[in-house]
Amino acid sequence: MNDHDQPNIVQTGRSDWIVAICSVVFDLDVGQQLESVYPIAAISESTATSVAFHSFPDSMSMELQSRSSVRDSTFFFRLRRDGSRAEGADYIQSAYLYGFVFCRQRQDERLRRGGEQKSVIVLSEQPYSSALTPLAQYAGPLYFNNGQSALQEVYQEVLDWEPPTAGVRCMLEFGDTTLITQVPDPSTLPPPAPIEVLDQYSQLPMLPCASQDPGALHGAFHEVDVFTPFTALFHHLWTLWEMMLLAEPLLVVAPSPGECSTAVAALIALISPLPYSADFRPFFTIHDPDYHAMTAPDQPFPSHTNLPRLLGVTNRYFLKALPQWPNTVSVGTKPMQAVGGEKPKGGRVGRAMAAVRQRTLGSQPQLGDHVQALWTGYKPVTRPDQRLLDRLLTPAATDSASKTARMAVLNSQAVREHFVELTIAMLAPFAPYCEPPGPQSGDTPAPDQERPHLPAFSHAEFIEQLQRQPLPALLQQRFRSQAACVQFYKRFIECPNFMAWFERRRAAAAAWQACAFRKKCGAWAHMLEAARVR
């Protein structure tokens, strides 16, 4: 891509919402190619190449149903940004970029080789999916109608948006649309946070508690449907919740990028408000720079590296390329495929034989045809909530699409609230280590007075304390035994999700405490000075 290929545009300021907006075409001679990007200097050449290779479905994952048809699809990806700064960039860049894609695939016998593929991608350093997915859905058709100048038009509209502020309802205007949305607290987003943790708190945010509004925003992808992707696997959701908390390696296989990226987002949302701190890729392809490192013959177990642990893929080749990955879940359906795949026949004995075959073959059946299932050697220590299962609405075959969609929204809300409460209960025992004592109202602190320290955290002492005291009621209901729960905590405090969250919380608590004592000392010094003057 050369600068002279761009429309005649004038560079403008930087947006707090997006890094850039670009278009990618599939060139029949050279493959995916970045056609245009605005602002021009927003991304480096190597990052542009990575963006281009993530902007289209794999060839095996999209099948148009006629020789003259159009298919629009939306999905998102996350990729590692290279260490070099793009020319002209004047701010510290995040290590990752999110791309929100509007893709159009068109088959027409009048076109060269019978078709074309083009995508519009909104790039951001944060997963503000509730705002940026609709933005991509707006920018895509505008680009196909007006050409590359539409990218400048959309970017200029985003520059008029108010900066994203956690917990504040934003009214975002683009075209004739006004989108009302919110962004989650930075402390609940996957790292790196939008701003330094030591600078983000004028007041210490309380640890989430179950008494808070269950409809409150509790993390990334808060608007994603967490029910529909796992309708056929719902009894496995508690197992998946455990695996996500522990950042166990998990391969998510789906027929399309939209289905696999939505499923990955739903899995991350299951453990909100705990941010998922391991590397994850909602839509991963063989062109990703990390692919060769992940498929190297001497590659160690995935949890022993800094490489991605959560992958969404559509190319079933990954089942062969990543044989060391211990967990695979397949979701979504191909056109005309029944939910749940082929049902085992032969009554109880037939179902038992099918279960044994599934454990023996692992995910190999996926190489033949798509089947919704979970293949794992992980042994869960929680049990499903039968009350939640009984609350879920089941659409009838005669229900309209709109009624089915309304049921999915209600089911998703119920599932999300359940797992938010469950995750909050998991985090509750750590509250004493994250809530520092501040100055009392009657204290007269000296400027050199040493602040009380946060309680020291010892893994062994924490586990010993768990063994002595009763668990929160919700954990008692879900875990099979107290011993099983304690063993789970032993693994949890060693995983990257806990360590990143705990360090962030402790740093924020210490920063808040220092600020509180400075204000108290400053106020006392001002009072002494005023008394001396009088």
Side-chain angles (χ1 to χ4, degrees):
M1 181 196 66
N2 299 318
D3 289 354
H4 60 75
D5 295 328
Q6 298 276 1
N8 185 19
I9 53 182
V10 178
Q11 297 297 296
T12 60
R14 174 177 175 262
S15 167
D16 292 314
W17 288 89
I18 67 175
V19 171
I21 182 168
C22 55
S23 59
V24 175
V25 298
F26 187 88
D27 188 281
L28 295 174
D29 298 318
V30 299
Q32 293 96 322
Q33 189 174 32
L34 194 71
E35 178 190 47
S36 57
V37 60
Y38 188 83
I40 294 175
I43 55 176
S44 67
E45 185 175 347
S46 58
T47 298
T49 300
S50 293
V51 168
F53 278 118
H54 286 80
S55 298
F56 295 112
D58 284 345
S59 58
M60 296 175 62
S61 68
M62 276 289 182
E63 300 171 359
L64 295 178
Q65 303 302 308
S66 70
R67 289 299 299 159
S68 181
S69 58
V70 175
R71 170 170 290 180
D72 292 340
S73 60
T74 57
F75 57 93
F76 79 100
F77 59 81
R78 182 182 194 247
L79 54 83
R80 195 190 305 273
R81 207 172 191 176
D82 62 24
S84 62
R85 180 175 296 184
E87 181 182 355
D90 57 357
Y91 65 98
I92 299 175
Q93 296 179 337
S94 171
Y96 295 93
L97 275 181
Y98 295 84
F100 298 88
V101 182
F102 179 92
C103 173
R104 174 164 292 178
Q105 296 175 300
R106 183 162 69 100
Q107 285 193 344
D108 191 328
E109 294 179 352
R110 296 168 297 180
L111 299 174
R112 184 184 173 196
R113 297 193 187 179
E116 67 175 3
Q117 298 184 84
K118 291 186 177 183
S119 289
V120 172
I121 307 96
V122 175
L123 297 174
S124 176
E125 293 180 343
Q126 295 302 325
Y128 297 143
S129 53
S130 63
L132 301 186
T133 295
L135 182 66
Q137 292 170 327
Y138 161 73
L142 190 67
Y143 160 81
F144 288 109
N145 289 333
N146 300 344
Q148 297 180 33
S149 63
L151 306 185
Q152 176 191 5
E153 179 181 339
V154 173
Y155 189 85
Q156 295 290 351
E157 289 183 289
V158 175
L159 286 178
D160 293 332
W161 293 1
E162 292 293 327
T165 304
V168 176
R169 301 187 72 181
C170 307
M171 298 184 64
L172 311 178
E173 296 183 355
F174 45 88
D176 297 327
T177 302
T178 299
L179 177 69
I180 300 176
T181 187
Q182 289 179 254
V183 297
D185 190 284
S187 64
T188 65
L189 296 176
I195 46 181
E196 291 297 327
V197 69
L198 297 183
D199 297 332
Q200 70 182 10
Y201 298 121
S202 58
Q203 296 181 345
L204 179 68
M206 299 297 292
L207 281 175
C209 61
S211 62
Q212 287 180 336
D213 177 11
L217 303 188
H218 284 293
F221 312 117
H222 57 86
E223 82 293 348
V224 170
D225 182 352
V226 297
F227 171 77
T228 302
F230 305 104
T231 302
L233 307 170
F234 196 78
H235 282 77
H236 292 300
L237 269 189
W238 286 265
T239 301
L240 293 168
W241 175 77
E242 292 181 38
M243 294 166 63
M244 290 296 295
L245 282 177
L246 300 176
E248 286 286 304
L250 180 60
L251 187 66
V252 180
V253 184
S256 70
E259 288 170 303
C260 75
S261 60
T262 298
V264 168
L267 288 169
I268 292 173
L270 280 186
I271 64 170
S272 295
L274 181 73
Y276 188 81
S277 297
D279 192 1
F280 67 95
R281 308 300 173 86
F283 175 51
F284 191 76
T285 76
I286 61 174
H287 302 291
D288 192 285
D290 286 328
Y291 168 77
H292 294 292
M294 297 179 66
T295 56
D298 57 347
Q299 177 63 37
F301 195 71
S303 59
H304 299 161
T305 71
N306 291 324
L307 293 170
R309 296 195 188 188
L310 177 61
L311 290 184
V313 302
T314 59
N315 191 337
R316 293 195 294 271
Y317 169 74
F318 281 101
L319 297 171
K320 287 185 175 181
L322 300 173
Q324 74 277 24
W325 276 56
N327 311 300
T328 300
V329 61
S330 60
V331 299
T333 58
K334 288 186 175 181
M336 306 305 294
Q337 179 180 335
V339 174
E342 182 180 354
K343 295 183 178 179
K345 301 176 182 179
R348 182 178 301 176
V349 175
R351 290 193 295 272
M353 292 297 294
V356 171
R357 180 175 179 271
Q358 178 172 309
R359 288 196 297 269
T360 304
L361 296 178
S363 58
Q364 291 181 18
Q366 279 288 92
L367 295 173
D369 197 7
H370 186 79
V371 178
Q372 296 190 80
L374 172 64
W375 295 275
T376 179
Y378 178 84
K379 295 182 179 180
V381 293
T382 57
R383 47 181 172 244
D385 187 330
Q386 189 59 46
R387 290 177 302 177
L388 175 62
L389 296 175
D390 293 340
R391 285 172 54 197
L392 297 177
L393 304 173
T394 303
T398 56
D399 286 340
S400 64
S402 60
K403 183 176 180 180
T404 301
R406 289 195 299 271
M407 288 184 180
V409 170
L410 294 174
N411 287 341
S412 178
Q413 182 178 351
V415 173
R416 184 186 302 278
E417 290 176 5
H418 171 81
F419 282 101
V420 163
E421 292 178 357
L422 195 55
T423 303
I424 287 173
M426 276 292 302
L427 300 178
F430 301 105
Y433 304 96
C434 301
E435 295 177 349
Q440 300 298 318
S441 58
D443 287 350
T444 307
D448 58 348
Q449 177 182 347
E450 184 177 356
R451 301 188 306 274
H453 295 288
L454 289 170
F457 181 75
S458 163
H459 288 198
E461 292 178 2
F462 176 77
I463 294 299
E464 183 180 352
Q465 188 177 18
L466 278 181
Q467 292 171 331
R468 293 197 308 264
Q469 65 186 25
L471 296 171
L474 189 56
L475 298 186
Q476 293 181 29
Q477 297 168 10
R478 297 279 62 78
F479 281 85
R480 300 182 187 277
S481 67
Q482 176 146 341
C485 186
V486 170
Q487 290 299 316
F488 186 83
Y489 268 106
K490 285 183 179 180
R491 298 182 63 183
F492 179 59
I493 60 179
E494 298 289 344
C495 81
N497 286 337
F498 169 77
M499 291 187 287
W501 172 82
F502 194 61
E503 290 175 4
R504 184 187 292 187
R505 293 292 317 188
R506 300 266 289 182
W512 172 86
Q513 186 186 56
C515 180
F517 271 84
R518 282 196 304 269
K519 290 180 179 178
K520 186 73 174 181
C521 291
W524 183 249
H526 180 74
M527 290 174 60
L528 290 178
E529 178 65 19
R532 185 185 66 81
V533 171
R534 288 197 299 267

